Amino acid sequence: MIIQEVAPRDGLQIEPTWVETDDKVALIDSLSNIGFTRIEAGSFVSPKAIPALRDGEEVFLRITRKPGVIYVGLVPNARGAERALEAFADELNLVMSASETHNRANMRMSCDASLAGFGGIVELTRHTRVLLNGTVATAFGCPFEGHIDEDRVVSIIDAYLALGMTGITLADTTGMANPRQVSRIVKRALGRVGPEALTLHFHNTRGLGLANVLAAYEAGARRFDASLGGLGGCPFAPGASGNICTEDLANMCEEMGIPHGIDLDGLIALSRGLPALLGHDVPGQVAKAGRNRDLHPAPEYAVAA
Ligand code: COA
Ligand code: ZN
């Protein structure tokens, strides 16, 4: 399984406390050193929309680029793409919602306008080595519109591929997905893109995050977004809350014998530093409970003679 760490972007975008550029850079550098091959390191959106990530360029220019790690920047429009290119992002993550209403709430434009903008970004990047990933946000449900037609999700995948994007992400922005729905949509998506090009992005808003991961995995998906400590959420989706938690996912994988390449002890140590950085508790479970193999001394009366 490939786990893409999204705490520096999805995780921090909703935080009310300003995280200093130095601290963002240190976090990303630490993530680079514990085995991630893909890190979403920031976004290039309007600083009025997401003030917490307004230092995107500085972050990208100051991190230590570890060879083999792809540093991704979220991009909403051509202006964002220009900024991301100037900051040497390796991959642009172009985001549009399946829900017209959520796209207007989040991106302040219609889906048609988003797609037209992405067409321009494809042109802009044609002679560069930058990778393009297309995210379908609210792919499993919308906090405004509710049900999202599965055919619509598939048609957006087709539109992204027709534009020439090489990666596709299906995002459950507010944790409305369920495992059977995930299994169905993943199978349809994998009819169009290989497992190396498909990422699932789940939020644990209704407690189904890891159940959805397992359903997607069993249906053939191999790439997942996750956020250290379970941070995250879209500020333009009412009730949004954290992504699936990276160390909880890594722990599940280890218990199930699914290789993932991340140093779980390193993850737990980093996650335990988050409350001091952000000033509040974080939702992840394993950093609090410990790994399965972190055993406790038995009370004396329970020790067999
Ligand atoms: N980066 C920085 N500034 C940008 C920008 C970008 N990518 N795109 C637009 N702007 C600036 C414009 O220059 C303009 O600045 P000004 O007010 O100083 O003149 C201002 O933002 C408004 O530009 P406009 O094109 O009218 O944008 P908008 O207000 O319609 O907003 C988006 C459109 C896409 C820029 C904005 O909705 C956005 O950034 N959304 C992203 C939200 C997000 O990150 N959600 C979570 C992740 S999914
Ligand atoms: Zn998200």
Side-chain angles (χ1 to χ4, degrees):
M1 178 182 296
I2 293 176
I3 304 177
Q4 169 166 263
E5 177 57 51
V6 299
R9 194 281 297 173
D10 205 330
L12 295 186
Q13 70 183 9
I14 199 170
E15 286 297 326
T17 311
W18 170 248
V19 175
E20 295 295 341
T21 308
D22 280 349
D23 291 326
K24 289 174 179 144
V25 169
L27 174 64
I28 295 164
D29 286 349
S30 302
L31 293 166
S32 298
N33 286 329
I34 58 170
F36 288 100
T37 53
R38 306 180 57 86
I39 299 173
E40 194 164 48
S43 66
F44 297 94
V45 303
S46 158
K48 284 179 198 141
I50 307 281
L53 299 182
R54 63 179 182 266
D55 54 351
E57 283 89 343
E58 242 191 301
V59 169
F60 269 80
L61 293 173
R62 283 172 50 190
I63 53 177
T64 302
R65 304 287 179 120
K66 185 156 189 192
V69 181
I70 294 171
Y71 298 91
V72 182
L74 183 144
V75 162
N77 58 9
R79 171 88 190 92
E82 286 162 12
R83 290 177 58 206
L85 290 179
E86 281 164 21
F88 304 105
D90 299 308
E91 179 172 299
L92 313 188
N93 182 21
L94 310 181
V95 178
M96 180 187 86
S97 299
S99 152
E100 184 71 36
T101 313
H102 183 258
N103 204 59
R104 287 171 190 266
N106 191 34
M107 298 300 182
R108 295 181 179 267
M109 61 182 120
S110 66
C111 291
D112 282 349
S114 280
L115 278 177
F118 296 167
I121 294 170
V122 169
E123 291 309 317
L124 187 71
T125 57
R126 195 173 291 286
H127 300 295
T128 70
R129 295 174 68 179
V130 81
L131 303 166
L132 294 182
N133 184 79
T135 287
V136 189
T138 64
F140 302 89
C142 166
F144 305 111
E145 293 185 12
H147 175 76
I148 294 293
D149 193 33
E150 292 175 15
D151 288 342
R152 174 158 174 76
V153 175
V154 172
S155 74
I156 297 171
I157 296 175
D158 287 342
Y160 284 172
L161 294 174
L163 278 173
M165 298 190 198
T166 48
I168 300 289
T169 296
L170 300 179
D172 183 24
T173 308
T174 57
M176 293 173 76
N178 70 73
R180 288 189 176 155
Q181 174 195 24
V182 165
S183 178
R184 265 194 322 271
I185 298 183
V186 164
K187 283 178 188 156
R188 290 186 69 179
L190 288 174
R192 290 167 154 78
V193 288
E196 73 292 342
L198 179 70
T199 302
L200 277 299
H201 176 105
F202 293 122
H203 282 259
N204 198 34
T205 313
R206 290 175 175 78
L208 290 182
L210 292 187
N212 288 328
V213 169
L214 190 58
Y217 188 85
E218 301 285 329
R222 290 295 179 268
R223 261 169 66 165
F224 295 88
D225 282 352
S227 177
L228 192 70
L231 300 176
C234 173
F236 302 100
S241 65
N243 292 81
I244 55 164
C245 168
T246 313
E247 60 273 19
D248 293 2
L249 173 62
N251 183 68
M252 179 180 95
C253 287
E254 293 198 6
E255 291 304 314
M256 295 182 71
I258 298 173
H260 56 78
I262 319 294
D263 166 15
L264 180 51
D265 290 329
L267 269 177
I268 291 174
L270 275 181
S271 179
R272 286 178 178 160
L274 290 175
L277 184 67
L278 302 171
H280 59 78
D281 188 21
V282 299
Q285 312 264 306
V286 169
K288 294 170 194 146
R291 315 166 57 143
N292 288 39
R293 70 163 177 250
D294 297 336
L295 303 181
H296 303 270
E300 223 165 89
Y301 60 81
V303 179

